[in-house]
Amino acid sequence: MTFASAAVQLARHAYLELDGITVSFPGVRALNGVSLQVRAGEVHGLMGENGAGKSTLLKVLSGVNQPQAGTLSLNGVTHRFTHTRAAIDAGIAIIYQELHLVPELTVADNLMLGQLPNRFGVLDKRALIKRAVDELKRLGEHIDPRTPVKHLSIGQRQMIEIGKALMRDARVIAFDEPTSSLSARETEHLFRIINALRADGRAIIYVTHRMEEVDALCDRVTVFRDGKRIETFESVANLDRHQLIAAMVGRPIADVYGYRPRVAGNVLLEAKELMGPGLAEPASFTTRRGEIVGFFGLVGAGRSELMKLIYGATRASAGHVELGGKRVNFSSPRDAVRAGIALCPEDRKQEGIVAIASVADNLNLSARRHFSRAGFLLDAKRERALTQDYIRKLAIKTRNSDTAIGTLSGGNQQKVILSRWLAERIEVFLMDEPTRGIDVGARAEIYHLLYELAEAGRSVLMVSSDLAEVIGVADRIIVMREGRIVGNVPKAEATPDELIKMALPR
């Protein structure tokens, strides 16, 4: 057999086979008879709305969830993983969006967790460092293995997770939204690593919401919806995006952005020579009632830092903010909320929600002061009514108002955060990466809500690293580079080439 024909045989070989996988939780069927094949030497994309069953499938692969029906086979051998160690030993690794590293330990310690080298029962530090150096070299990372992981960037931490998988000789590697927090450079490096893994004959599952990543990386793509496998597209080369979106959401979405033009009113918020952490020079700009202003730039451009200065989450060292023509000074976010400014942060899980608390508690977190009795007694009846009202208005998908918000999809968590501020008297909405980690159907719903806010005379400031999104949604775009505002572009003049040119370091 020639090398070329051997490569073809390898590409056609289904290394991972799932057949009729069913997983049920109380009141929910998360996976319903799902069958999927992933070949050795391919990158198999997995797409679907939040709650479609993708995460549950990864948990079945990793041994976290055990299916009530169906089988899982690796290279023709049937397995049933009753715990995560069994899946690791069988050669399966999952690179989750929320990385599973120990921040206080070193890079070397994290790479070798569970398999630390020892001599006569004592840790062999020399062997530990040598093996870590070799693995980092293979990954193309120039990191001191003695460095605590907490000092690494998100992209570097992700490489450590990949290194852990390779040191255990994982043959099936699943990536769960791996680029959601990466810069363009880090994403390119990640793609090079994944392509090398494919060339090495590994079976790769790549979960993403980004269609351009499917185009650039995947050989095939499978769509999940409501816990079922809807369709596997055998070729990505000529894949119709509208067909892919329709498979994901169960309906055609001709324009996911659905831009709705409107007439802007008077200036509502103005930043005047604002200076503080993350900015290299004072920032000045205005936003008007009824206007959606996009903030575009590369990671580290200072966009999130500027939002936090406006919100009072960090203290300005110079300059000030005017709201409705009046100067305001915020010593904390509480002051900003009471003045009419709210922030929906980029990191929802860490900064936007209390994950173990209920939907009702998260939604009423700020507004409950308006209807508490005697200043401290909660009015449970009014809270329930408010919660049910916004669950209905924003079509929040939750079992009930007592469900822990951490169990909801990203899109529904974002809707709860928006509901929290809609229940307040908010005039200016600071939206930092509002659709990060959110599927295409939920994105369309979020955009619709932003247009409704603007049409009601509010101002929306939207930070986004998604160039197509910021052009598709914003009325004008402020470009930031290395802590400076370097451009203010009306929608009609915004082109990808022009925005990227402004954003790139000089």
Side-chain angles (χ1 to χ4, degrees):
M1 182 181 291
T2 65
F3 177 80
S5 61
V8 171
Q9 289 280 8
L10 180 66
R12 289 176 178 170
H13 170 49
Y15 187 85
L16 168 67
E17 293 188 80
L18 301 165
D19 185 17
I21 298 291
T22 297
V23 176
S24 297
F25 302 112
V28 177
R29 177 156 285 187
L31 291 175
N32 190 356
V34 167
S35 296
L36 179 70
Q37 294 184 342
V38 183
R39 300 166 183 160
E42 83 161 330
V43 178
H44 194 116
L46 199 58
M47 300 191 77
E49 294 187 275
N50 294 107
K54 307 183 302 296
S55 296
T56 304
L57 183 77
L58 297 190
K59 289 178 180 177
V60 169
L61 283 177
S62 66
V64 173
N65 291 338
Q66 287 76 49
Q68 286 81 45
T71 59
L72 182 157
S73 300
L74 295 172
N75 205 21
V77 178
T78 300
H79 293 261
R80 185 172 181 83
F81 304 134
T82 56
H83 49 80
T84 56
R85 186 75 226 183
I88 291 170
D89 290 343
I92 293 178
I94 314 293
I95 313 298
Y96 289 105
Q97 190 174 352
E98 307 297 328
L99 301 176
H100 292 178
L101 298 172
V102 184
E104 302 300 326
L105 294 182
T106 68
V107 168
D109 290 333
N110 273 278
L111 279 169
M112 300 294 293
L113 274 179
Q115 49 181 352
L116 294 170
N118 68 86
R119 296 183 66 189
F120 310 111
V122 178
L123 175 66
D124 188 340
K125 290 187 177 179
R126 181 176 295 178
L128 173 66
I129 296 300
K130 183 182 184 308
R131 292 177 67 181
V133 167
D134 291 344
E135 188 56 41
L136 290 168
K137 190 179 296 183
R138 176 161 65 147
L139 292 168
E141 289 290 339
H142 304 287
I143 304 170
D144 186 336
R146 302 170 186 84
T147 304
V149 162
K150 65 183 178 182
H151 296 317
L152 303 183
S153 71
I154 293 294
Q156 289 173 321
R157 294 184 196 190
Q158 197 166 69
M159 288 300 143
I160 303 307
E161 282 278 22
I162 296 170
K164 281 169 56 180
L166 296 181
M167 294 186 83
R168 295 186 173 105
D169 196 30
R171 305 308 301 176
V172 176
I173 306 176
F175 293 85
D176 186 12
E177 294 286 349
T179 64
S180 60
S181 298
L182 300 188
S183 67
R185 188 171 300 169
E186 288 170 329
T187 297
E188 287 178 9
H189 183 44
L190 174 66
F191 282 12
R192 284 196 296 271
I193 295 293
I194 292 176
N195 282 323
L197 294 174
R198 168 169 46 199
D200 192 39
R202 319 269 176 155
I204 310 295
I205 297 175
Y206 191 87
V207 179
T208 183
H209 291 309
R210 298 180 175 179
M211 309 229 177
E212 63 274 14
E213 293 185 357
V214 170
D215 293 340
L217 194 63
C218 297
D219 300 293
R220 296 188 295 159
V221 60
T222 291
V223 173
F224 277 28
R225 188 174 74 240
D226 298 330
K228 299 177 182 178
R229 184 184 72 84
I230 300 302
E231 187 171 357
T232 295
F233 296 91
E234 293 293 333
S235 174
V236 171
N238 299 308
L239 183 58
D240 185 332
R241 288 194 174 194
H242 297 305
Q243 185 182 4
L244 185 58
I245 292 171
M248 288 171 60
V249 302
R251 64 190 187 279
I253 298 181
D255 177 9
V256 69
Y257 304 112
Y259 177 74
R260 304 203 300 247
R262 71 207 76 82
V263 177
N266 298 328
V267 171
L268 179 55
L269 179 138
E270 184 170 7
K272 289 191 171 182
E273 299 293 312
L274 200 60
M275 189 65 186
L279 298 184
E281 66 182 32
S284 299
F285 66 89
T286 62
T287 65
R288 298 177 176 275
R289 288 189 178 276
E291 190 176 34
I292 299 175
V293 180
F295 282 76
F296 178 71
L298 305 181
V299 173
R303 298 162 303 158
S304 296
E305 291 81 358
L306 180 55
M307 296 303 112
K308 288 180 178 179
L309 283 171
I310 295 168
Y311 189 53
T314 54
R315 188 66 63 88
S317 58
H320 65 276
V321 172
E322 292 184 4
L323 187 62
K326 297 180 180 179
R327 180 168 175 160
V328 290
N329 293 295
F330 305 140
S331 59
S332 70
R334 176 183 296 180
D335 295 339
V337 171
R338 294 186 175 183
I341 299 176
L343 170 68
C344 293
E346 176 185 10
D347 191 340
R348 284 189 298 274
K349 290 186 178 180
Q350 294 297 322
E351 300 178 340
I353 63 171
V354 182
I356 61 173
S358 68
V359 169
D361 283 337
N362 274 274
L363 196 153
N364 289 287
L365 204 57
S366 178
R368 62 179 25 145
R369 74 181 192 277
H370 295 305
F371 41 74
S372 59
R373 291 174 292 176
F376 61 91
L377 294 174
L378 300 182
D379 189 332
K381 185 176 180 180
R382 289 187 65 183
E383 285 200 9
R384 279 196 302 272
L386 184 72
T387 302
Q388 292 303 323
D389 187 32
Y390 279 105
I391 287 175
R392 178 183 54 80
K393 281 181 180 176
L394 273 65
I396 299 170
K397 295 178 183 176
T398 177
R399 195 176 308 167
N400 54 56
S401 62
D402 295 324
T403 300
I405 192 174
T407 66
L408 269 57
S409 69
N412 285 297
Q413 289 177 7
Q414 191 71 288
K415 288 182 184 180
V416 173
I417 296 170
L418 272 171
S419 297
R420 178 192 304 160
W421 300 132
L422 290 172
E424 286 277 1
R425 301 178 183 90
I426 300 300
E427 294 294 315
V428 178
F429 287 79
L430 312 177
M431 308 293 297
D432 195 352
E433 302 286 0
T435 63
R436 175 177 175 251
I438 293 177
D439 64 75
V440 67
R443 281 183 174 214
E445 294 177 349
I446 296 295
Y447 301 146
H448 173 73
L449 290 171
L450 298 186
Y451 298 140
E452 285 192 337
L453 292 174
E455 287 160 359
R458 274 77 171 251
S459 282
V460 177
L461 281 63
M462 184 186 76
V463 172
S464 178
S465 300
D466 186 330
L467 187 54
E469 176 178 77
V470 80
I471 291 174
V473 174
D475 300 305
R476 62 186 169 94
I477 300 154
I478 292 175
V479 182
M480 296 190 69
R481 182 181 70 236
E482 297 176 330
R484 300 173 174 84
I485 291 176
V486 295
N488 191 339
V489 185
K491 184 180 187 69
E493 300 173 16
T495 65
D497 287 349
E498 184 64 25
L499 297 185
I500 284 289
K501 191 184 300 181
M502 288 183 182
L504 286 173
R506 299 296 167 89

